[in-house]
Amino acid sequence: MHNPDGNRQRRIFLAMLMMAAANPAAWSQGLRERRAARRDELDEGDDEAMASISPEVQAIRDVAYGRDNAQRFDVYLPRRGVQNAPVILMAHGGGWYRGDKGMRSVVANKVTHWVPQGYVFISTNYRMLPDADPVEQAEDLRRALIAAQRQAASWGGDPSKFILMGHSAGAHLAALVSAAPERALRQGAQPWRGAVLLDSASLDVVMTMEGRHLPLHDRAFGGDPVFWRRASPWHQLAAGAPPMLVVASSERRSAVPQARRFAEKAASLGVRMQVLEEPLSHRQINEQLGTPGSYTSAVDAFISGVLG
């Protein structure tokens, strides 16, 4: 029986063998990149256990900053109480369409590390695709920031000592909010001290969409170049943006080049920006922050420096 699909698959397979034979080094490199790209997509907020928290940490769950059920954040602080504490506001990853503020990789090691030092740590949710696109999700992060600053004193936090942090899609949102801070300031936010961007899913959305990219980027940004620019931290970056630490996985093909390009534009605008290249996977950059080592120490040094 004639099987056109089977014939087509055999032709593709033979073409792949010919490519591998003609240039084995390039084929091997391409295979590694394809595997890494697939691994990145799987790491984008896969379902996982919720974090367990030490009895010495007080958790205040599901504080509302909007009417939607997704517009909620959790607050973690020392049970003994704090006064005038610095505050870290964290946005989870998940490819703009999944993830949760309570996931272990988002919360556990970070709370264990910073809360005993006297920080307040906040982990926020935001509306997901298809209910909200990335520009609207950045607006949710602004709302969460404003609400958290207004209530910070009730938890012992200092509204003038906020750090924005995010991983993957959440890092993109933190970068987008921080690239042009005047919008949040007009809405009632106080200036925040800096942003820590943990292996952003994209810093230059136009560059991402015009090159090889994952299906999750198509879901998030669609096909409109005008929207790409609106959603692109690189294109929105302006003088007056707060200091940023851009953590980039050296295991991802586009992470380090985009981080360096973002920093070059920042330097041209007089914006303080540091790139931290880490030989960790996309997922490990999130999970391992807060564990002892040079990576956590470098993030600590940046945060201490901007807090003064």
Side-chain angles (χ1 to χ4, degrees):
M1 181 180 294
H2 180 61
N3 184 352
D5 289 339
N7 290 338
R8 179 175 179 272
Q9 290 172 2
R10 282 191 290 273
R11 288 196 300 271
I12 292 172
F13 179 69
L14 289 172
M16 291 167 64
L17 288 178
M18 292 174 64
M19 291 171 60
N23 193 338
W27 170 258
S28 178
Q29 175 64 24
L31 182 61
R32 286 195 297 271
E33 288 184 357
R34 287 190 294 276
R35 286 174 175 171
R38 180 58 181 159
R39 188 167 62 245
D40 287 343
E41 183 166 17
L42 291 174
D43 284 351
E44 285 275 8
D46 280 340
D47 290 341
E48 57 175 282
M50 296 295 103
S52 59
I53 302 301
S54 164
E56 297 179 0
V57 175
Q58 179 185 358
I60 303 170
R61 306 286 186 185
D62 293 323
V63 178
Y65 66 87
R67 295 180 179 179
D68 193 283
N69 287 335
Q71 294 171 322
R72 304 287 185 270
F73 56 69
D74 297 337
V75 182
Y76 302 90
L77 63 151
R79 195 167 291 279
R80 68 179 185 276
V82 285
Q83 290 184 341
N84 302 317
V87 182
I88 297 173
L89 175 59
M90 173 76 188
H92 67 78
W96 301 277
Y97 73 101
R98 59 180 176 175
D100 188 82
K101 57 185 170 57
M103 292 192 304
R104 176 183 51 79
S105 62
V106 176
V107 174
N109 287 329
K110 301 175 187 70
V111 167
T112 298
H113 178 70
W114 275 295
V115 171
Q117 296 183 53
Y119 283 72
V120 174
F121 187 89
I122 300 174
S123 183
T124 191
N125 276 347
Y126 45 91
R127 292 169 296 161
M128 300 272 92
L129 293 169
D131 297 326
D133 64 37
V135 170
E136 293 168 322
Q137 292 172 8
E139 185 63 24
D140 276 5
L141 184 56
R142 292 186 191 95
R143 292 173 181 167
L145 171 64
I146 293 165
Q149 287 181 324
R150 288 175 177 170
Q151 298 178 69
S154 67
W155 310 313
D158 186 334
S160 72
K161 295 180 180 178
F162 265 64
I163 302 291
L164 282 187
M165 182 181 288
H167 172 247
S168 192
H172 164 261
L173 300 180
L176 192 56
V177 170
S178 296
E182 63 276 357
R183 181 166 183 174
L185 300 178
R186 287 197 304 267
Q187 294 175 351
Q190 296 189 38
W192 54 103
R193 298 295 184 91
V196 178
L197 313 177
L198 305 176
D199 210 33
S200 174
S202 182
L203 292 168
D204 184 338
V205 173
V206 175
M207 176 180 285
T208 296
M209 299 306 292
E210 290 180 345
R212 290 171 53 194
H213 57 270
L214 297 171
L216 64 88
H217 292 115
D218 291 315
R219 287 194 296 266
F221 302 115
D224 181 1
V226 173
F227 181 78
W228 297 350
R229 294 178 65 89
R230 288 180 59 214
S232 175
W234 191 91
H235 289 84
Q236 298 300 316
L237 185 62
M244 297 184 221
L245 175 64
V246 185
V247 183
S249 168
S250 59
E251 296 188 4
R252 294 178 62 222
R253 178 175 52 86
S254 62
V256 170
Q258 284 210 15
R260 290 176 177 171
R261 188 166 180 267
F262 197 41
E264 289 171 1
K265 183 169 184 179
S268 72
L269 296 169
V271 174
R272 176 183 166 190
M273 190 176 292
Q274 176 184 346
V275 175
L276 177 62
E277 299 176 24
E278 287 293 326
L280 299 170
S281 73
H282 185 65
R283 189 183 188 98
Q284 288 170 334
I285 280 178
N286 192 34
E287 285 183 330
Q288 294 189 17
L289 182 58
T291 61
S294 59
Y295 169 35
T296 297
S297 295
V299 177
D300 270 334
F302 171 80
I303 291 175
S304 297
V306 297
L307 289 174

